[in-house]
Amino acid sequence: MKQISHLSHYFFRKDKKQILSFGMIILITALILHLALVLALRIDPAYDRLSDELHSADIDMVIPQMTDSPALSDAVRRHPSVEQFEQQRAILQKAVMKDFRGTDFELNILFYNWDDPRAIHRLSCRRRSKEAVQNPIYLPLYIAEFGEYAPGETITFSIGGKDFSYTVAGVVQEMQYGNASAELMGVFLPDAQYRQLAQALESGEVVNYAVRTGEGADRQTVLTDLRKTAEEKQAPVLFAMTRESRKQSRMMVTNLLTVILAAFAVIVLLVSIFLCRFRIKTTVAEEMAQMGVLKSLGFTSGGIIAAEVLPYTAAALLFSVLGVALSYGLLPTLVNVLALQAGFRFDVAYSPAALILTVALLTVVTLVFTWLSAGRIRRLLPIAAIRGVTDGRGMKKNRFPLAKTPGSVHFTLMLKQMAVSARQNVLLFVVLFVMTILIAFSGSLFYNGIIRPDHLMNTLSDESPDVILQVSSSDIVGMKRAIGSLDGAEKVLSYAIRQVQVGDENAVAFVCEDFSQTQNDGCYEGQNPVSGREIAIGSALAERLGCGVGDTAVVTYGDTSRSYRIVGLVQSVNNRGEICELTDQGFAALSGGKETHSLYVYLKNSADADGFIEKAKTACGGEIVSAVNAAKKQREAQSLYMGIITVVIAVIFAVTALIVLLILFVIIRSMMTQCRQEFGIYKAIGYSGRQLVAQTAGSLMPVTVAAALSSALLGLVWLPAVNHAIFGMVGAMKNHMEQPVGILLLFAAAEIAVTLLISVLLARPIKKIEAYSLIKE
Amino acid sequence: MKNSENKNHILLSVRHLNKSFRSGDAEQTIINDLDLDIRQGDFTVIMGSSGAGKSTLLYALSGMDKPTSGSITFCGEDITSYSADKLAVFRRKHCGFVFQQIYLLDKMSLMDNALTAGLLVGGKKKETVRRAAALFEKVNLPEVTWKKFPSQISGGEAQRAGIVRAVINRPEVLFADEPTGALNSHNSDAVLDVFTELSRDGQSIIMVTHDKKSALRGNRVIYLRDGRIFGECDLGEYTPDNAARTDKLNAFLTEMNW
């Protein structure tokens, strides 16, 4: 045992720097893997725990207050799966929040009475204004943090053309709603402000049935039952959501990030496996004579293998623990970013399971692969090893003969050096290939998120014109003509968003005069409705109703129900696929044609949307109830996505560069050890240090170029599948992402350039070695 | 001025050459204030006991190693101030090397070993290949061996291939460090015959050796002791089985306490 320990120490000292490089890669792997595991193992339970702490409802169902009745509440109470429920009064309004992260943001807002007692959906006040404020309001964490409203600051809601301003008195943690993608949020007004608002608006008073179900109840089924009950009692359900749909909306980004981190960790783990295999095999080749001597002295193969494997396994153990420790340093930042999007605070907690899984996985994988790689030692005959089976002895073919290969001698020598290094070529190819997968992914993100941000936005958002005008006039055609004739208008579409029921399911209906004129076609199967008898439905509805293209769906709006033929399936990330599309005629048959629509205005120059709104107000006067600069809102959302994408691309490039640096360090160090004498001979012949550096770095380039280009081009095949899978997870069955070959090649070229630069820098020590000292060695 | 007939031309001139190594706190002097001139066309043999500084002097003269002080001028130009890259150019243009351990590039065929040096100085590839082939034939390496790797041939064949690589660029000086040290008697003779033939063609050679038989091939023998030139002997032109030259060398070496 002592001898093995001595021998192991020798192997460690000899390969110290390479083992440290390997350790660094393990550290990166551990860091990423542990982050992914903590998110996977801790955030979900933390979310559920917080929901339980705040006694959140399993089902929320909003109905108009005037339709609420003791009969309905009795019926809800009697439902066998309902354990507890509470009626929470509120004022529901479509409101524009002014200066929400620098823009105007329209959302369905439920104004609750802060002073009403709550047994369900309790609120936990996280931050309060230090001083008493005039006209106070309490905001949920999501609106306060994402919208950038701090305690003491003012928030203004524009409702039906009137502005209502409040001062943020506190920020509350609630688990009642999702985030902006759920299209419904709640805010909380003290009793006096609540009453004032109710008086000022004279409409919109609603009751939220917050329901807690018993253990094991199928919440979706219970919701369907309750919705039927409400309809039977003449109470139309305005909004409804389950704990699951709320969670999906809040956790979408977290879940996506967890998957991406886990995939990233697997890729880096693959790299580290190949690296340790390469080093072990190289060490066996370098130390063959010594191993022969050790065997002749009586060391067993197992003993030598154990000594060889031990430093790598110990490094894996040590650096994976360090990686885990480092990940705890990064977790608070990561969690803050996620909290901003998810609207709930997650306390970073120690996760023994994540720690053990990370460390055990990396250590065991290292142990297994190094052990297998060192297997050649068993087959080594002592005398053959002592005699020194050099690399040259194994040479069978003289590749790239200097006399016949076209090109300069330096180029040919570079090719020869590459041709005799099969093991390093395999390692380099695998590393560059898998890292280019990440680079290609970031290239795709760059193109679709930064060069053509509309691709990403159209995938994740609904129809987005430049200006949305809410008009009071019943002469929508005349208004459309008037707005369309204004300077700067490209086209104007009549558009409305209404809450309907499809079958038994609540859904958002997008109503448009002509879907072929819209900019963001969300139809992923079949087609958009054209006639008044056609409908397209969202993926979630299709799944729940068990129907598809060619079937019939019954749509209910108010008291009227009508059948429509399903002609297509459409997506909506914001509404989790709970949508449908109807034509103007189709919806008029339901509504009686009395409802006013919005006008979606598409401008020739979207940057001047504010100027256009002024023009429209001047031209149409009081007939415009509200005007939203949707282009600005879209740009704000785009800039947010662009910021995230830039960070993701930068992180991918930085991690790739770091991993390539570490791998090249190991490869070039191994090459310098193995070819030390060779470099001396070259120098004696008259090759300069600069030439040898270029030759060494250049010998890595053919494999680098082949791996990067082939992986980047293969991206054309797999990136659509990856994008489909990723966006499919959030309900975008059809994405607008494109993979332009030029961008993929450009990113691959950047990777190649970075690899070349790193190779040259790492090979520079060759210059400092003198020919004479090399030959002496 | 390649391989000219100007026998009196001084190719290399060494003045007050010192070379010392630091080992821990102690400094060890290997070459000690040495002066030496090497004439063009001479086959100079450097002898001496182990540690006398023979190889150190050889590698300093060839620009493979930097002296601690003193000057080495090649054709009137001081090479001691050259940068590493400039010395590399100097070596590729003016020097050829033959080593005791041969040091062929083991992952290359014999032909590629020769061309690695030959193509470095430019010139047309076809001409360089032709010259390499001629040199291989001159050192009695048949074409069948040219594609072989160093591990597939004998030590003597490898050393002769090493000589081809050393002289392919027509260097002004051929430096040889114990070229027969690792060879058997038969192979040694074959290698020495190549040296003799090159010398007869006007090639300047500086050879370090322990071997009296090898030393006999030179026309000038320098004996080093403690980093200085302790003695020098002019043997005249080599002719096989020349007893007078052998006796003269024996007497010189006896005088040097060899």
Side-chain angles (χ1 to χ4, degrees):
Chain A
M1 197 63 204
K2 200 174 175 186
Q3 282 88 344
I4 291 173
S5 158
H6 278 303
L7 190 56
S8 193
H9 190 233
Y10 162 76
F11 284 131
F12 173 73
R13 273 184 305 158
K14 183 184 161 287
D15 285 348
K16 198 164 43 189
K17 289 185 176 169
Q18 282 98 325
I19 291 171
L20 286 177
S21 279
F22 168 75
M24 286 300 292
I25 291 179
I26 287 289
L27 184 142
I28 295 169
T29 317
L31 192 153
I32 299 169
L33 183 63
H34 187 253
L35 284 177
L37 285 173
V38 168
L39 292 186
L41 298 174
R42 301 293 300 204
I43 279 209
D44 210 56
Y47 181 96
D48 292 336
R49 200 166 43 247
L50 190 58
S51 283
D52 291 342
E53 268 172 35
L54 297 176
H55 215 61
S56 295
D58 297 307
I59 293 165
D60 283 284
M61 188 172 77
V62 180
I63 59 164
Q65 192 184 38
M66 64 176 76
T67 63
D68 192 22
S69 63
L72 175 60
S73 56
D74 279 349
V76 172
R77 187 176 294 114
R78 281 199 304 273
H79 191 286
S81 294
V82 173
E83 206 168 59
Q84 183 189 9
F85 82 97
E86 186 174 69
Q87 289 150 287
Q88 299 169 335
R89 63 190 174 126
I91 302 163
L92 172 64
Q93 293 293 334
K94 196 165 206 60
V96 175
M97 278 185 279
K98 303 274 188 177
D99 199 23
F100 182 93
R101 211 178 176 85
T103 186
D104 291 350
F105 191 56
E106 194 180 43
L107 206 62
N108 292 303
I109 301 280
L110 278 159
F111 293 88
Y112 281 97
N113 189 328
W114 174 254
D115 296 316
D116 279 350
R118 280 182 165 227
I120 298 176
H121 284 315
R122 290 169 195 154
L123 303 169
S124 157
C125 197
R126 291 294 165 101
R127 280 187 288 149
R128 278 180 193 275
S129 172
K130 285 173 187 164
E131 293 161 10
V133 296
Q134 291 283 318
N135 232 11
I137 190 171
Y138 294 88
L139 297 179
L141 203 66
Y142 177 79
I143 291 182
E145 296 204 346
F146 201 72
E148 295 173 346
Y149 301 108
E153 288 182 0
T154 302
I155 180 168
T156 302
F157 297 92
S158 178
I159 303 166
K162 289 184 195 166
D163 284 356
F164 298 87
S165 294
Y166 302 95
T167 307
V168 181
V171 177
V172 294
Q173 174 72 73
E174 52 75 47
M175 298 301 271
Q176 187 167 6
Y177 297 101
N179 52 23
S181 66
E183 300 267 316
L184 182 66
M185 296 293 297
V187 296
F188 309 90
L189 294 171
D191 192 55
Q193 280 69 32
Y194 180 84
R195 285 173 193 280
Q196 279 171 13
L197 183 71
Q199 274 175 6
L201 295 173
E202 294 177 345
S203 68
E205 285 186 283
V206 294
V207 173
N208 178 44
Y209 270 78
V211 177
R212 282 176 68 86
T213 59
E215 196 106 330
D218 179 354
R219 289 169 186 135
Q220 195 59 47
T221 311
V222 178
L223 174 61
T224 306
D225 292 347
L226 294 182
R227 191 178 271 151
K228 271 185 191 162
T229 307
E231 278 158 17
E232 283 163 14
K233 311 289 179 197
Q234 310 300 317
V237 177
L238 303 174
F239 283 98
M241 64 173 81
T242 61
R243 184 188 270 240
E244 283 75 23
S245 58
R246 198 162 59 212
K247 190 172 175 180
Q248 190 194 354
S249 146
R250 285 193 169 196
M251 300 296 281
M252 179 183 85
V253 172
T254 306
N255 292 338
L256 269 179
L257 188 73
T258 306
V259 171
I260 291 171
L261 281 174
F264 206 162
V266 169
I267 286 175
V268 186
L269 180 61
L270 262 177
V271 168
S272 48
I273 287 171
F274 271 88
L275 178 65
C276 69
R277 275 174 58 86
F278 169 79
R279 263 318 299 163
I280 292 285
K281 284 175 181 262
T282 306
T283 305
V284 173
E286 285 168 2
E287 299 289 310
M288 197 175 283
Q290 282 85 335
M291 284 173 188
V293 172
L294 290 169
K295 278 196 167 188
S296 68
L297 290 174
F299 276 82
T300 62
S301 297
I304 300 172
I305 291 172
E308 176 89 51
V309 163
L310 195 61
Y312 285 90
T313 311
L317 180 67
L318 176 70
F319 281 92
S320 55
V321 171
L322 284 176
V324 168
L326 258 182
S327 79
Y328 277 110
L330 280 180
L331 260 176
T333 313
L334 183 67
V335 164
N336 277 342
V337 173
L338 293 175
L340 193 67
Q341 196 279 333
F344 90 101
R345 286 246 161 252
F346 159 66
D347 293 325
V348 181
Y350 170 69
S351 167
L355 167 76
I356 292 166
L357 262 174
T358 306
V359 175
L361 178 73
L362 296 182
T363 310
V364 170
V365 163
T366 304
L367 176 66
V368 169
F369 280 93
T370 46
W371 196 277
L372 291 175
S373 308
R376 190 183 169 195
I377 294 171
R378 290 189 194 281
R379 299 189 296 275
L380 216 58
L381 288 172
I383 192 62
I386 291 168
R387 280 179 183 159
V389 182
T390 63
D391 285 350
R393 194 155 294 195
M395 300 294 294
K396 286 188 179 130
K397 195 169 179 204
N398 183 33
R399 305 211 180 260
F400 303 109
L402 285 167
K404 290 178 184 165
T405 308
S408 74
V409 63
H410 303 295
F411 178 71
T412 315
L413 287 175
M414 190 189 83
L415 293 178
K416 286 178 91 72
Q417 192 164 336
M418 176 205 70
V420 297
S421 315
R423 205 179 297 130
Q424 90 183 20
N425 291 341
V426 170
L427 173 69
L428 195 60
F429 189 89
V430 170
V431 170
L432 265 299
F433 192 90
V434 294
M435 296 320 288
T436 309
I437 291 174
L438 294 173
I439 294 289
F441 181 68
S442 67
S444 169
L445 270 183
F446 176 76
Y447 180 76
N448 294 291
I450 291 176
I451 295 181
R452 292 292 308 273
D454 52 314
H455 288 178
L456 185 64
M457 293 308 294
N458 286 346
T459 301
L460 296 175
S461 66
D462 300 319
E463 181 62 13
S464 48
D466 296 316
V467 172
I468 300 174
L469 298 173
Q470 198 88 43
V471 293
S472 58
S473 170
S474 56
D475 179 17
I476 196 82
V477 178
M479 279 296 291
K480 203 181 132 188
R481 197 179 305 120
I483 298 294
S485 66
L486 290 175
D487 189 28
E490 191 177 303
K491 64 180 173 188
V492 183
L493 282 178
S494 157
Y495 206 96
I497 300 174
R498 295 288 181 270
Q499 196 74 28
V500 297
Q501 263 186 272
V502 181
D504 292 331
E505 302 291 331
N506 265 25
V508 173
F510 294 117
V511 182
C512 182
E513 55 180 310
D514 183 358
F515 283 100
S516 68
Q517 293 287 308
T518 56
Q519 282 194 338
N520 188 14
D521 183 7
C523 183
Y524 65 91
E525 193 182 322
Q527 61 180 55
N528 295 113
V530 177
S531 77
R533 276 289 174 190
E534 292 177 344
I535 189 172
I537 61 170
S539 51
L541 285 187
E543 197 181 312
R544 281 186 217 142
L545 298 172
C547 57
V549 174
D551 294 332
T552 301
V554 176
V555 180
T556 305
Y557 182 69
D559 299 332
T560 313
S561 294
R562 195 163 179 258
S563 293
Y564 296 85
R565 192 165 61 86
I566 300 170
V567 292
L569 299 180
V570 287
Q571 66 183 23
S572 170
V573 173
N574 287 347
N575 295 284
R576 304 172 306 283
E578 294 164 355
I579 59 157
C580 66
E581 282 182 356
L582 288 168
T583 61
D584 265 358
Q585 303 98 299
F587 185 70
L590 283 170
S591 66
K594 291 171 190 166
E595 295 196 10
T596 56
H597 284 206
S598 296
L599 290 180
Y600 275 24
V601 187
Y602 301 83
L603 303 178
K604 287 172 186 158
N605 177 13
S606 63
D608 194 28
D610 280 331
F612 185 85
I613 290 171
E614 287 308 312
K615 266 186 269 180
K617 281 180 176 170
T618 309
C620 302
E623 293 193 275
I624 295 174
V625 177
S626 74
V628 174
N629 183 343
K632 192 176 169 190
K633 189 174 153 187
Q634 184 87 346
R635 276 199 299 275
E636 287 294 332
Q638 270 178 13
S639 72
L640 181 74
Y641 279 117
M642 280 179 184
I644 293 171
I645 288 168
T646 307
V647 170
V648 169
I649 292 172
V651 167
I652 288 177
F653 255 91
V655 172
T656 303
L658 182 62
I659 289 173
V660 168
L661 171 80
L662 294 169
I663 295 291
L664 286 177
F665 176 78
V666 173
I667 288 177
I668 292 174
R669 288 292 296 200
S670 302
M671 205 191 274
M672 281 168 68
T673 309
Q674 285 181 319
C675 305
R676 206 170 168 76
Q677 194 178 72
E678 207 169 297
F679 289 135
I681 297 167
Y682 275 120
K683 284 204 167 184
I685 291 171
Y687 282 76
S688 66
R690 202 173 300 161
Q691 284 169 337
L692 293 177
V693 169
Q695 184 178 312
T696 303
S699 72
L700 304 173
M701 285 305 109
V703 173
T704 302
V705 171
L709 291 187
S710 60
S711 182
L713 290 176
L714 270 178
L716 293 172
V717 178
W718 62 260
L719 273 170
V722 167
N723 284 331
H724 184 74
I726 289 177
F727 289 107
M729 279 173 63
V730 294
M733 311 309 285
K734 177 177 104 175
N735 65 69
H736 300 266
M737 311 289 268
E738 288 177 6
Q739 281 72 45
V741 67
I743 290 289
L744 297 185
L745 292 179
L746 184 73
F747 271 61
E751 187 191 15
I752 292 166
V754 170
T755 306
L756 178 62
L757 182 70
I758 293 172
S759 305
V760 169
L761 291 175
L762 289 174
R764 277 174 68 87
I766 294 172
K767 284 173 80 172
K768 291 186 181 164
I769 305 167
E770 289 177 12
Y772 180 43
S773 61
L774 281 166
I775 284 174
K776 272 202 305 185
E777 284 168 20
Chain B
M1 206 190 293
K2 293 213 168 193
N3 297 344
S4 76
E5 293 300 313
N6 188 355
K7 282 267 182 183
N8 291 320
H9 177 70
I10 304 294
L11 257 187
L12 274 164
S13 182
V14 176
R15 293 292 175 266
H16 306 296
L17 192 73
N18 287 288
K19 178 73 183 176
S20 50
F21 294 101
R22 181 165 284 282
S23 172
D25 289 337
E27 190 165 281
Q28 193 184 357
T29 302
I30 308 295
I31 304 288
N32 191 359
D33 198 27
L34 187 141
D35 290 344
L36 174 67
D37 287 326
I38 303 287
R39 289 185 303 272
Q40 183 149 23
D42 268 0
F43 188 160
T44 308
V45 174
I46 303 172
M47 297 188 78
S49 55
S50 287
K54 305 183 295 292
S55 293
T56 305
L57 175 62
L58 186 83
Y59 290 120
L61 290 175
S62 61
M64 287 261 276
D65 194 15
K66 286 213 165 198
T68 308
S69 64
S71 70
I72 302 167
T73 52
F74 177 80
C75 294
E77 194 168 347
D78 188 355
I79 65 165
T80 47
S81 59
Y82 280 9
S83 67
D85 281 354
K86 207 169 174 188
L87 278 174
V89 176
F90 164 75
R91 284 196 297 272
R92 85 172 69 136
K93 283 186 176 170
H94 305 292
C95 309
F97 294 92
V98 178
F99 306 100
Q100 181 180 359
Q101 275 79 21
I102 306 170
Y103 290 134
L104 288 177
L105 295 159
D106 59 1
K107 291 166 201 152
M108 287 194 195
S109 68
L110 300 193
M111 176 57 92
D112 277 359
N113 262 282
L115 293 180
T116 300
L119 294 173
L120 184 60
V121 290
K124 289 186 177 165
K125 192 180 267 188
K126 273 187 183 171
E127 278 176 22
T128 312
V129 173
R130 265 202 296 273
R131 175 162 166 74
L135 284 168
F136 275 124
E137 278 165 9
K138 189 172 180 179
V139 300
N140 288 322
L141 283 174
E143 193 171 349
V144 69
T145 61
W146 303 351
K147 286 183 182 171
K148 288 188 174 178
F149 290 96
S151 58
Q152 296 167 332
I153 56 173
S154 72
E157 287 173 320
Q159 191 58 293
R160 278 179 278 153
I163 294 170
V164 170
R165 185 180 67 183
V167 298
I168 192 165
N169 289 332
R170 300 184 178 91
E172 264 90 355
V173 196
L174 176 61
F175 296 91
D177 187 7
E178 306 264 15
T180 58
L183 303 178
N184 62 26
S185 171
H186 172 71
N187 280 327
S188 291
D189 288 344
V191 167
L192 290 172
D193 287 345
V194 174
F195 274 95
T196 301
E197 204 176 332
L198 288 170
S199 176
R200 280 189 183 138
D201 291 347
Q203 174 70 58
S204 308
I205 300 171
I206 303 173
M207 179 171 76
V208 167
T209 186
H210 273 109
D211 177 33
K212 210 191 298 179
K213 201 163 78 175
S214 300
L216 271 172
R217 301 293 181 125
N219 63 300
R220 182 189 181 197
V221 179
I222 290 165
Y223 195 89
L224 289 191
R225 179 176 290 171
D226 300 329
R228 294 169 189 267
I229 296 176
F230 192 59
E232 191 174 337
C233 172
D234 190 352
L235 290 177
E237 197 174 338
Y238 171 73
T239 47
D241 305 321
N242 186 331
R245 284 180 97 254
T246 308
D247 291 344
K248 192 172 181 182
L249 180 62
N250 282 337
F252 171 69
L253 291 177
T254 306
E255 191 185 335
M256 296 292 112
N257 287 329
W258 193 69

